[in-house]
Amino acid sequence: MSFLLVKLIHIFSVFIYAGFLFTDNLILMKMQKTLSEDKYKEVRSYFAKLTRAIVPKALVVAVISGIYLFYISFGSFPQEYNFSSFQTLLLLKAVLGLWLGIRGVLQVFFGIQPFVFKGHRLPFILVIMIIFLSQIM
Ligand code: HEM
């Protein structure tokens, strides 16, 4: 029961984070092509101000709920690293998710900019990969 509840929380928080990345990468990029530079800057700063209130928190919830789900789902650590394919994919998914989480927390809460891939395109691609991994798992 608590697994299902946490999984629901995980899916909703991921939904908010991925929705933000979708809008940022696809909708705002399109606007950039049609709006004047000043107008685009204004729209972007509005978007940043409004999303800043919720998106970083959703990412933190996604990571914390993910860690709990991982703890329940992963099963026992295999001897001699004989991971099942589920465990291998889950490990990969968790590493990518943690990377996104750490990157986002450092950026938003501590003002430390990412060392590589500074834009929002990499998180967008990673989220798509993570969603595929979660379904193949
Ligand atoms: C922003 C990053 C993340 C995204 C986009 C994401 C996405 C998803 C999605 C779409 C599901 C599938 C739900 C379903 O089909 O029922 C899922 C489940 C899961 N996620 Fe994440 N996740 C993220 C971060 C994490 C992290 C950091 C961890 C672990 C450290 C994690 C561990 C899990 C586990 C264990 C499951 C359930 C697997 C099962 O059904 O047994 N996730 N995630």
Side-chain angles (χ1 to χ4, degrees):
M1 180 65 194
S2 64
F3 181 82
L4 282 182
L5 191 69
V6 175
K7 193 153 151 176
L8 208 60
I9 293 170
H10 190 66
I11 292 171
F12 272 110
S13 52
V14 158
F15 166 70
I16 294 170
Y17 179 61
F20 156 77
L21 290 172
F22 179 84
T23 313
D24 193 27
N25 278 278
L26 299 182
I27 313 288
L28 288 190
M29 288 299 174
K30 266 243 145 57
M31 283 187 188
Q32 193 175 15
K33 289 187 186 136
T34 47
L35 295 179
S36 69
E37 206 180 315
D38 283 349
K39 196 84 200 152
Y40 178 68
K41 267 194 190 142
E42 198 186 326
V43 171
R44 256 208 98 84
S45 75
Y46 251 131
F47 180 72
K49 208 156 74 188
L50 297 175
T51 51
R52 201 161 267 258
I54 179 147
V55 174
K57 289 171 198 131
L59 180 58
V60 171
V61 172
V63 170
I64 293 173
S65 54
I67 291 171
Y68 174 81
L69 293 175
F70 185 94
Y71 175 70
I72 305 288
S73 268
F74 189 75
S76 55
F77 197 88
Q79 282 179 344
E80 300 186 6
Y81 300 99
N82 285 323
F83 294 108
S84 66
S85 33
F86 171 78
Q87 287 175 322
T88 310
L89 292 172
L90 179 53
L91 268 176
L92 183 59
K93 175 193 181 298
V95 168
L96 296 180
L98 285 174
W99 179 15
L100 279 182
I102 292 168
R103 186 182 185 276
V105 166
L106 286 179
Q107 188 172 19
V108 176
F109 297 106
F110 297 97
I112 301 171
Q113 294 309 314
F115 305 119
V116 285
F117 307 115
K118 296 173 197 291
H120 282 163
R121 186 145 305 162
L122 173 81
F124 187 49
I125 294 167
L126 286 185
V127 162
I128 294 171
M129 284 170 61
I130 291 174
I131 290 174
F132 272 109
L133 282 174
S134 75
Q135 297 310 299
I136 303 167
M137 259 155 54

